[in-house]
Amino acid sequence: MRIPLSNVNLSDIEKRYARDALETGWISGTGDYVKLFETLLRQKVDRQCARVVSNGTVALEIALRALGIGPGDEVIVPALTFVSPAAAVRTVGAKPVFVDVSPDTWTIDPEWIPLSRQTKALIGVDLLGHLCNWHDLDNTLIGQDVFMIEDAAEAHGAVGQGRVAGSHAFISTFSFHANKTVTTGEGGAILTDDPDLAFEIRRLANHGMNDKRPYWHEVVGTNARMTNLTAAIGVGQMIRWDALVAARNQVATWYDERLADLFANTDLYRRPVADWCTEACWMYAIGSPQRQPIIDALRANGIDARAIWTALCNLPLYRESCRGEYPVAKKLSDEVFLLPTWAGLPENAVDEICTIIRETMRQKA
Ligand SMILES: *Cc1c(COP(=O)(O)O)cnc(C)c1O
């Protein structure tokens, strides 16, 4: 593909830190860059504790385990998301239960949460750079004894309801996968303000071992540590966080300007943004009941446009997680597609992409 969907943006800063980690020989899960990355991250999203781990999926698994969630428990998960939250719930032996997304935010609809006596937690996904309505979710779940987990993997830099992505729930997680806005190649993080929980998270991620007492294993843990080499890249990305977020939002603005008339006059639509949220566009997403010819035309021209994920409620693997219908998740899954979005995507690439969309729509009209 000539214009990829996603691309990493690494500067000399990341390269310098990575080289330093290599030269010092500190390349395992212990080292100063790990500690520094955790400090910078915690400060950036205004949390008391941060633990970086090997990826965003493992971050969710450890968050669930730290909350004691396992067999017999149910966890509410949106029907439209990348699969990780649902898979993490299954991995710890619990059952994901799907909730539909709201047409206004494409995130969990706080009106229709399928709670049961087994519900122990809810994982809200800040989808495609837009926050969940955490305020309404809090109100819906008040007095319910349901833990809130925020999966902010797609929302580095999004702001709303007085807080940034990664600070809205009891536990919040990030991914730093190569396609994410802030990246370390592979990586993740778990954040909380609760020191006991932070202790448990650290222990679970480090062989269930007491930090103060070597080879004294208190719980069955795993090794989910991020390497110091990876964290060195992360420290560089932390310094550039605002610029990386702004660069993607600039790309979104370019798309918005060029597609505005199509949004106004055709059935093409843009991902909605609620008035209480400032989006941090991770992937620019648009939808149309006739998306396939547009995707085909873009791909024929070497542009990596892609249909959004299959709604999880449509996957046979997760049939037991359905409670009723999921009309919004299914419609979006059938209609939405993602356009190339990355820091450094040239403006004339956006021109070309939008011209192809326009031409294809005119031919089909
Ligand atoms: C990318 C992503 C993750 C985790 O990804 P990893 O590749 O495991 O780091 C989790 N949740 C969502 C919503 C994601 O988009």
Side-chain angles (χ1 to χ4, degrees):
M1 286 283 162
R2 215 161 32 82
I3 304 179
L5 182 68
S6 175
N7 207 354
V8 294
N9 186 302
L10 298 171
S11 75
D12 284 344
I13 305 175
E14 290 88 327
K15 290 171 194 168
R16 187 158 10 103
Y17 291 144
R19 202 175 307 121
D20 179 56
L22 276 173
E23 280 167 5
T24 60
W26 289 89
I27 57 168
S28 82
T30 322
D32 291 343
Y33 283 113
V34 173
K35 287 194 206 119
L36 184 55
F37 189 12
E38 289 177 346
T39 303
L40 294 174
L41 189 61
R42 173 165 75 62
Q43 290 169 348
K44 187 75 196 169
V45 299
D46 191 20
R47 305 287 319 230
Q48 296 298 315
C49 319
R51 176 64 173 155
V52 293
V53 292
S54 45
N55 62 64
T57 306
V58 155
L60 288 166
E61 291 169 18
I62 289 183
L64 291 162
R65 292 189 57 197
L67 294 171
I69 289 162
D73 298 334
E74 291 182 357
V75 179
I76 307 288
V77 171
L80 184 70
T81 171
F82 180 64
V83 72
S84 289
V89 173
R90 287 275 288 265
T91 300
V92 302
K95 182 185 206 175
V97 173
F98 296 140
V99 54
D100 204 1
V101 295
S102 152
D104 303 330
T105 64
W106 297 8
T107 64
I108 289 185
D109 190 338
E111 302 267 334
W112 306 104
I113 303 200
L115 294 171
S116 80
R117 240 176 306 155
Q118 284 74 47
T119 311
K120 287 285 156 50
L122 171 149
I123 304 178
V125 177
D126 297 332
L127 202 82
L128 298 165
H130 192 295
L131 296 170
C132 293
N133 190 339
W134 292 101
H135 177 267
D136 284 5
L137 286 173
D138 276 336
N139 281 342
T140 305
L141 295 175
I142 214 155
Q144 293 283 352
D145 228 7
V146 171
F147 292 116
M148 301 275 248
I149 300 171
E150 174 186 25
D151 180 349
E154 303 177 1
H156 311 78
V159 190
Q161 300 174 332
R163 305 194 65 85
V164 296
S167 68
H168 286 268
F170 188 42
I171 302 187
S172 300
T173 63
F174 279 110
S175 164
F176 302 113
H177 181 260
N179 72 11
K180 299 306 202 286
T181 299
V182 175
T183 183
T184 59
E186 300 283 355
I190 313 169
L191 300 110
T192 182
D193 298 325
D194 185 304
D196 295 336
L197 194 58
F199 175 84
E200 187 59 15
I201 288 163
R202 195 167 285 277
R203 188 162 67 166
L204 284 168
N206 189 26
H207 304 295
M209 196 162 74
N210 186 323
D211 255 357
K212 309 263 149 19
R213 207 170 156 187
Y215 306 124
W216 188 256
H217 304 274
E218 299 166 324
V219 291
V220 178
T222 186
N223 175 0
R225 295 185 304 256
M226 174 183 280
T227 73
N228 198 54
L229 182 56
T230 299
I233 300 171
V235 169
Q237 290 267 296
M238 286 308 301
I239 292 166
R240 302 177 58 226
W241 175 294
D242 291 343
L244 291 165
V245 171
R248 288 199 189 227
N249 279 336
Q250 172 63 259
V251 170
T253 303
W254 288 334
Y255 278 123
D256 281 343
E257 288 165 3
R258 286 156 183 78
L259 298 175
D261 65 310
L262 294 180
F263 295 151
N265 302 318
T266 71
D267 57 14
L268 194 75
Y269 56 91
R270 183 205 198 279
R271 177 215 209 301
V273 180
D275 59 9
W276 47 263
C277 181
T278 304
E279 123 186 278
C281 185
W282 166 57
M283 281 286 156
Y284 193 81
I286 57 179
S288 161
Q290 272 89 249
R291 79 176 164 191
Q292 201 52 47
I294 306 175
I295 295 176
D296 291 344
L298 288 167
R299 296 187 71 84
N301 283 280
I303 295 156
D304 191 5
R306 284 192 213 168
I308 198 175
W309 319 285
T310 300
L312 302 183
C313 53
N314 285 340
L315 295 173
L317 181 64
Y318 288 102
R319 204 168 11 230
E320 313 238 303
S321 292
C322 296
R323 298 274 191 285
E325 297 302 311
Y326 297 91
V328 182
K330 286 180 177 172
K331 175 181 142 73
L332 295 175
S333 176
D334 286 342
E335 297 185 353
V336 173
F337 55 110
L338 310 174
L339 299 179
T341 312
W342 33 277
L345 178 69
E347 187 171 7
N348 62 15
V350 175
D351 278 334
E352 185 189 341
I353 292 164
C354 293
T355 301
I356 293 167
I357 294 172
R358 185 178 304 280
E359 290 296 312
T360 312
M361 290 188 67
R362 200 173 45 213
Q363 283 161 21
K364 301 285 158 191

PDB file of all heavy atoms in Angstrom, residues 7-26:
ATOM      1  N   ASN A   7       0.956   4.524  10.721  1.00  0.00           N
ATOM      2  CA  ASN A   7       2.401   4.624  10.557  1.00  0.00           C
ATOM      3  C   ASN A   7       2.984   5.143  11.862  1.00  0.00           C
ATOM      4  O   ASN A   7       2.368   5.987  12.510  1.00  0.00           O
ATOM      5  CB  ASN A   7       2.686   5.622   9.434  1.00  0.00           C
ATOM      6  CG  ASN A   7       4.000   5.347   8.739  1.00  0.00           C
ATOM      7  OD1 ASN A   7       4.763   4.482   9.153  1.00  0.00           O
ATOM      8  ND2 ASN A   7       4.280   6.095   7.684  1.00  0.00           N
ATOM      9  N   VAL A   8       4.166   4.667  12.249  1.00  0.00           N
ATOM     10  CA  VAL A   8       4.751   5.179  13.490  1.00  0.00           C
ATOM     11  C   VAL A   8       5.513   6.475  13.217  1.00  0.00           C
ATOM     12  O   VAL A   8       5.972   6.718  12.109  1.00  0.00           O
ATOM     13  CB  VAL A   8       5.690   4.160  14.175  1.00  0.00           C
ATOM     14  CG1 VAL A   8       4.908   2.969  14.662  1.00  0.00           C
ATOM     15  CG2 VAL A   8       6.812   3.741  13.257  1.00  0.00           C
ATOM     16  N   ASN A   9       5.613   7.296  14.260  1.00  0.00           N
ATOM     17  CA  ASN A   9       6.329   8.555  14.158  1.00  0.00           C
ATOM     18  C   ASN A   9       7.349   8.601  15.298  1.00  0.00           C
ATOM     19  O   ASN A   9       7.018   8.901  16.438  1.00  0.00           O
ATOM     20  CB  ASN A   9       5.318   9.704  14.249  1.00  0.00           C
ATOM     21  CG  ASN A   9       5.974  11.048  14.016  1.00  0.00           C
ATOM     22  OD1 ASN A   9       6.906  11.424  14.726  1.00  0.00           O
ATOM     23  ND2 ASN A   9       5.503  11.772  13.018  1.00  0.00           N
ATOM     24  N   LEU A  10       8.589   8.223  14.967  1.00  0.00           N
ATOM     25  CA  LEU A  10       9.661   8.193  15.973  1.00  0.00           C
ATOM     26  C   LEU A  10      10.684   9.270  15.636  1.00  0.00           C
ATOM     27  O   LEU A  10      11.088   9.408  14.479  1.00  0.00           O
ATOM     28  CB  LEU A  10      10.341   6.820  15.974  1.00  0.00           C
ATOM     29  CG  LEU A  10       9.446   5.638  16.344  1.00  0.00           C
ATOM     30  CD1 LEU A  10      10.171   4.318  16.105  1.00  0.00           C
ATOM     31  CD2 LEU A  10       8.987   5.731  17.790  1.00  0.00           C
ATOM     32  N   SER A  11      11.098  10.027  16.630  1.00  0.00           N
ATOM     33  CA  SER A  11      12.062  11.105  16.402  1.00  0.00           C
ATOM     34  C   SER A  11      13.427  10.704  16.957  1.00  0.00           C
ATOM     35  O   SER A  11      13.608   9.618  17.517  1.00  0.00           O
ATOM     36  CB  SER A  11      11.585  12.371  17.105  1.00  0.00           C
ATOM     37  OG  SER A  11      11.797  12.229  18.503  1.00  0.00           O
ATOM     38  N   ASP A  12      14.365  11.626  16.849  1.00  0.00           N
ATOM     39  CA  ASP A  12      15.704  11.394  17.407  1.00  0.00           C
ATOM     40  C   ASP A  12      15.660  11.207  18.920  1.00  0.00           C
ATOM     41  O   ASP A  12      16.538  10.558  19.490  1.00  0.00           O
ATOM     42  CB  ASP A  12      16.629  12.568  17.063  1.00  0.00           C
ATOM     43  CG  ASP A  12      17.066  12.505  15.609  1.00  0.00           C
ATOM     44  OD1 ASP A  12      16.901  11.426  14.992  1.00  0.00           O
ATOM     45  OD2 ASP A  12      17.545  13.528  15.080  1.00  0.00           O
ATOM     46  N   ILE A  13      14.651  11.786  19.562  1.00  0.00           N
ATOM     47  CA  ILE A  13      14.569  11.666  21.028  1.00  0.00           C
ATOM     48  C   ILE A  13      14.399  10.202  21.418  1.00  0.00           C
ATOM     49  O   ILE A  13      15.145   9.661  22.237  1.00  0.00           O
ATOM     50  CB  ILE A  13      13.386  12.503  21.583  1.00  0.00           C
ATOM     51  CG1 ILE A  13      13.499  13.960  21.117  1.00  0.00           C
ATOM     52  CG2 ILE A  13      13.322  12.413  23.101  1.00  0.00           C
ATOM     53  CD1 ILE A  13      12.330  14.838  21.517  1.00  0.00           C
ATOM     54  N   GLU A  14      13.432   9.506  20.796  1.00  0.00           N
ATOM     55  CA  GLU A  14      13.217   8.090  21.108  1.00  0.00           C
ATOM     56  C   GLU A  14      14.467   7.279  20.782  1.00  0.00           C
ATOM     57  O   GLU A  14      14.856   6.371  21.527  1.00  0.00           O
ATOM     58  CB  GLU A  14      12.031   7.510  20.308  1.00  0.00           C
ATOM     59  CG  GLU A  14      10.671   8.012  20.716  1.00  0.00           C
ATOM     60  CD  GLU A  14      10.274   9.284  19.991  1.00  0.00           C
ATOM     61  OE1 GLU A  14      11.158  10.113  19.682  1.00  0.00           O
ATOM     62  OE2 GLU A  14       9.073   9.460  19.742  1.00  0.00           O
ATOM     63  N   LYS A  15      15.100   7.618  19.648  1.00  0.00           N
ATOM     64  CA  LYS A  15      16.269   6.840  19.218  1.00  0.00           C
ATOM     65  C   LYS A  15      17.423   7.019  20.197  1.00  0.00           C
ATOM     66  O   LYS A  15      18.144   6.072  20.516  1.00  0.00           O
ATOM     67  CB  LYS A  15      16.679   7.250  17.799  1.00  0.00           C
ATOM     68  CG  LYS A  15      15.649   6.771  16.772  1.00  0.00           C
ATOM     69  CD  LYS A  15      15.886   7.330  15.380  1.00  0.00           C
ATOM     70  CE  LYS A  15      14.626   7.095  14.535  1.00  0.00           C
ATOM     71  NZ  LYS A  15      14.637   7.845  13.267  1.00  0.00           N
ATOM     72  N   ARG A  16      17.562   8.238  20.690  1.00  0.00           N
ATOM     73  CA  ARG A  16      18.657   8.517  21.633  1.00  0.00           C
ATOM     74  C   ARG A  16      18.445   7.724  22.933  1.00  0.00           C
ATOM     75  O   ARG A  16      19.363   7.087  23.434  1.00  0.00           O
ATOM     76  CB  ARG A  16      18.697  10.024  21.909  1.00  0.00           C
ATOM     77  CG  ARG A  16      19.869  10.453  22.733  1.00  0.00           C
ATOM     78  CD  ARG A  16      20.251  11.942  22.581  1.00  0.00           C
ATOM     79  NE  ARG A  16      19.319  12.789  21.858  1.00  0.00           N
ATOM     80  CZ  ARG A  16      18.464  13.647  22.432  1.00  0.00           C
ATOM     81  NH1 ARG A  16      18.405  13.759  23.739  1.00  0.00           N
ATOM     82  NH2 ARG A  16      17.660  14.391  21.691  1.00  0.00           N
ATOM     83  N   TYR A  17      17.221   7.737  23.453  1.00  0.00           N
ATOM     84  CA  TYR A  17      16.952   7.010  24.700  1.00  0.00           C
ATOM     85  C   TYR A  17      17.098   5.503  24.492  1.00  0.00           C
ATOM     86  O   TYR A  17      17.640   4.802  25.353  1.00  0.00           O
ATOM     87  CB  TYR A  17      15.557   7.332  25.225  1.00  0.00           C
ATOM     88  CG  TYR A  17      15.402   8.748  25.738  1.00  0.00           C
ATOM     89  CD1 TYR A  17      14.202   9.443  25.548  1.00  0.00           C
ATOM     90  CD2 TYR A  17      16.436   9.397  26.422  1.00  0.00           C
ATOM     91  CE1 TYR A  17      14.048  10.743  26.012  1.00  0.00           C
ATOM     92  CE2 TYR A  17      16.282  10.686  26.887  1.00  0.00           C
ATOM     93  CZ  TYR A  17      15.083  11.361  26.680  1.00  0.00           C
ATOM     94  OH  TYR A  17      14.942  12.629  27.133  1.00  0.00           O
ATOM     95  N   ALA A  18      16.615   5.005  23.364  1.00  0.00           N
ATOM     96  CA  ALA A  18      16.713   3.563  23.102  1.00  0.00           C
ATOM     97  C   ALA A  18      18.179   3.143  23.002  1.00  0.00           C
ATOM     98  O   ALA A  18      18.584   2.108  23.538  1.00  0.00           O
ATOM     99  CB  ALA A  18      15.959   3.206  21.821  1.00  0.00           C
ATOM    100  N   ARG A  19      18.966   3.981  22.337  1.00  0.00           N
ATOM    101  CA  ARG A  19      20.402   3.685  22.206  1.00  0.00           C
ATOM    102  C   ARG A  19      21.058   3.683  23.592  1.00  0.00           C
ATOM    103  O   ARG A  19      21.863   2.813  23.913  1.00  0.00           O
ATOM    104  CB  ARG A  19      21.077   4.723  21.301  1.00  0.00           C
ATOM    105  CG  ARG A  19      22.378   4.226  20.694  1.00  0.00           C
ATOM    106  CD  ARG A  19      22.969   5.230  19.686  1.00  0.00           C
ATOM    107  NE  ARG A  19      22.028   5.642  18.659  1.00  0.00           N
ATOM    108  CZ  ARG A  19      21.654   6.915  18.435  1.00  0.00           C
ATOM    109  NH1 ARG A  19      22.143   7.898  19.163  1.00  0.00           N
ATOM    110  NH2 ARG A  19      20.787   7.199  17.476  1.00  0.00           N
ATOM    111  N   ASP A  20      20.654   4.630  24.412  1.00  0.00           N
ATOM    112  CA  ASP A  20      21.205   4.707  25.768  1.00  0.00           C
ATOM    113  C   ASP A  20      20.875   3.429  26.554  1.00  0.00           C
ATOM    114  O   ASP A  20      21.749   2.859  27.215  1.00  0.00           O
ATOM    115  CB  ASP A  20      20.646   5.950  26.473  1.00  0.00           C
ATOM    116  CG  ASP A  20      21.168   6.063  27.899  1.00  0.00           C
ATOM    117  OD1 ASP A  20      22.403   6.079  28.068  1.00  0.00           O
ATOM    118  OD2 ASP A  20      20.343   6.113  28.835  1.00  0.00           O
ATOM    119  N   ALA A  21      19.620   2.975  26.443  1.00  0.00           N
ATOM    120  CA  ALA A  21      19.229   1.743  27.149  1.00  0.00           C
ATOM    121  C   ALA A  21      20.080   0.575  26.664  1.00  0.00           C
ATOM    122  O   ALA A  21      20.562  -0.237  27.461  1.00  0.00           O
ATOM    123  CB  ALA A  21      17.739   1.460  26.935  1.00  0.00           C
ATOM    124  N   LEU A  22      20.286   0.510  25.347  1.00  0.00           N
ATOM    125  CA  LEU A  22      21.107  -0.571  24.787  1.00  0.00           C
ATOM    126  C   LEU A  22      22.541  -0.499  25.302  1.00  0.00           C
ATOM    127  O   LEU A  22      23.124  -1.513  25.700  1.00  0.00           O
ATOM    128  CB  LEU A  22      21.141  -0.457  23.255  1.00  0.00           C
ATOM    129  CG  LEU A  22      19.979  -1.068  22.500  1.00  0.00           C
ATOM    130  CD1 LEU A  22      20.081  -0.715  21.017  1.00  0.00           C
ATOM    131  CD2 LEU A  22      19.960  -2.583  22.675  1.00  0.00           C
ATOM    132  N   GLU A  23      23.083   0.713  25.309  1.00  0.00           N
ATOM    133  CA  GLU A  23      24.489   0.851  25.692  1.00  0.00           C
ATOM    134  C   GLU A  23      24.730   0.567  27.169  1.00  0.00           C
ATOM    135  O   GLU A  23      25.782   0.062  27.548  1.00  0.00           O
ATOM    136  CB  GLU A  23      25.012   2.232  25.283  1.00  0.00           C
ATOM    137  CG  GLU A  23      25.365   2.236  23.807  1.00  0.00           C
ATOM    138  CD  GLU A  23      25.587   3.616  23.210  1.00  0.00           C
ATOM    139  OE1 GLU A  23      25.567   4.609  23.972  1.00  0.00           O
ATOM    140  OE2 GLU A  23      25.770   3.684  21.986  1.00  0.00           O
ATOM    141  N   THR A  24      23.730   0.859  27.995  1.00  0.00           N
ATOM    142  CA  THR A  24      23.900   0.571  29.420  1.00  0.00           C
ATOM    143  C   THR A  24      23.654  -0.902  29.731  1.00  0.00           C
ATOM    144  O   THR A  24      23.963  -1.368  30.824  1.00  0.00           O
ATOM    145  CB  THR A  24      22.929   1.400  30.287  1.00  0.00           C
ATOM    146  OG1 THR A  24      21.598   1.074  29.896  1.00  0.00           O
ATOM    147  CG2 THR A  24      23.177   2.887  30.150  1.00  0.00           C
ATOM    148  N   GLY A  25      23.047  -1.622  28.776  1.00  0.00           N
ATOM    149  CA  GLY A  25      22.769  -3.036  29.008  1.00  0.00           C
ATOM    150  C   GLY A  25      21.491  -3.305  29.795  1.00  0.00           C
ATOM    151  O   GLY A  25      21.131  -4.459  30.009  1.00  0.00           O
ATOM    152  N   TRP A  26      20.791  -2.250  30.184  1.00  0.00           N
ATOM    153  CA  TRP A  26      19.532  -2.454  30.917  1.00  0.00           C
ATOM    154  C   TRP A  26      18.406  -2.653  29.909  1.00  0.00           C
ATOM    155  O   TRP A  26      17.742  -1.702  29.516  1.00  0.00           O
ATOM    156  CB  TRP A  26      19.250  -1.259  31.824  1.00  0.00           C
ATOM    157  CG  TRP A  26      20.175  -1.186  33.002  1.00  0.00           C
ATOM    158  CD1 TRP A  26      21.385  -0.554  33.053  1.00  0.00           C
ATOM    159  CD2 TRP A  26      19.963  -1.776  34.301  1.00  0.00           C
ATOM    160  NE1 TRP A  26      21.944  -0.715  34.299  1.00  0.00           N
ATOM    161  CE2 TRP A  26      21.109  -1.456  35.084  1.00  0.00           C
ATOM    162  CE3 TRP A  26      18.936  -2.548  34.865  1.00  0.00           C
ATOM    163  CZ2 TRP A  26      21.235  -1.883  36.413  1.00  0.00           C
ATOM    164  CZ3 TRP A  26      19.071  -2.957  36.174  1.00  0.00           C
ATOM    165  CH2 TRP A  26      20.204  -2.642  36.940  1.00  0.00           C
TER     166      TRP A  26
END
